[in-house]
Amino acid sequence: MPETDHDDDVAMTSAGPEDHAPDSAAPAESTDPRIDLPGIAWKRVSPKYLVAGLVQLGIAAVIVCGLVAVAWLAWDWTWAGWALPFVAVFFIISIVVEPRRVRSIGYALRTDDLVFRRGIMFQRFVAVPYGRMQLVDITRGPVSRALGLADLRFVTAAAATAVAIPGLPEADAEELRDQLVTLAESRRAGL
């Protein structure tokens, strides 16, 4: 049974096989029935995105654990000595879960909308109609740029409903951006 959000611009939906626009050139598609909506062949983000996520988590772990250790040793804050193991365990768990988190990210182009999914425990499925897209943007952070990756972000009429597809190869992100802009312009002309 389809569920829709109260926002007209972005809707959560379950789709049947008739809503899928087949794309035989999809390099990596998910077939895991636990995370698929029926009839949608998901395209996954680049495997390099896992490396980017692990590097970012590693950098954050070093900085946070270093600050807590300095607070404990240099400033003699005893609570920091107790907090350090908890902070370290948090980052270790985050690093262990990161591969599964990256595998849960996917998107699919359908006839009338782009469907995006992410999340392990709290899954999010978002369908964005092409005619509602107002801005399609590509961003690259320093780690992503070093790995040749980019994030594709698009905003609909309600600015609070921005969606980002992370970890796309730069060429794929640019091609998808151009395709989405073309689809958005053609659908807005028909509104």
Side-chain angles (χ1 to χ4, degrees), residues 8-178:
D8 290 336
D9 299 331
V10 177
M12 294 175 48
T13 180
S14 298
E18 68 278 359
D19 293 335
H20 173 66
D23 184 7
S24 60
E29 295 179 354
S30 171
T31 57
D32 187 351
R34 295 172 296 178
I35 55 177
D36 280 347
L37 292 175
I40 297 179
W42 296 101
K43 295 180 185 178
R44 291 193 178 165
V45 297
S46 172
K48 291 181 184 178
Y49 185 59
L50 175 59
V51 175
L54 292 174
V55 167
Q56 292 169 350
L57 277 172
I59 291 170
V62 168
I63 290 171
V64 172
C65 289
L67 289 174
V68 172
V70 166
W72 177 38
L73 299 172
W75 298 322
D76 201 27
W77 292 357
T78 55
W79 64 266
W82 291 99
L84 187 58
F86 292 106
V87 171
V89 166
F90 170 78
F91 279 109
I92 289 170
I93 291 172
S94 296
I95 288 170
V96 168
V97 171
E98 186 68 10
R100 179 64 182 100
R101 187 189 72 80
V102 169
R103 281 194 312 269
S104 74
I105 300 170
Y107 69 97
L109 298 175
R110 299 191 303 179
T111 306
D112 296 321
D113 57 12
L114 179 139
V115 183
F116 174 73
R117 71 153 194 234
R118 80 176 319 148
I120 301 171
M121 286 182 58
F122 300 98
Q123 293 182 340
R124 179 179 182 204
F125 294 87
V126 180
V128 182
Y130 298 129
R132 300 289 184 162
M133 290 183 191
Q134 293 185 338
L135 172 71
V136 182
D137 186 24
I138 294 177
T139 58
R140 297 174 183 97
V143 176
S144 296
R145 203 171 34 243
L147 294 171
L149 300 176
D151 296 350
L152 184 71
R153 300 179 190 276
F154 43 95
V155 179
T156 63
T161 59
V163 175
I165 303 173
L168 296 174
E170 288 182 2
D172 292 351
E174 290 174 4
E175 180 182 331
L176 184 56
R177 178 199 57 203
D178 295 343

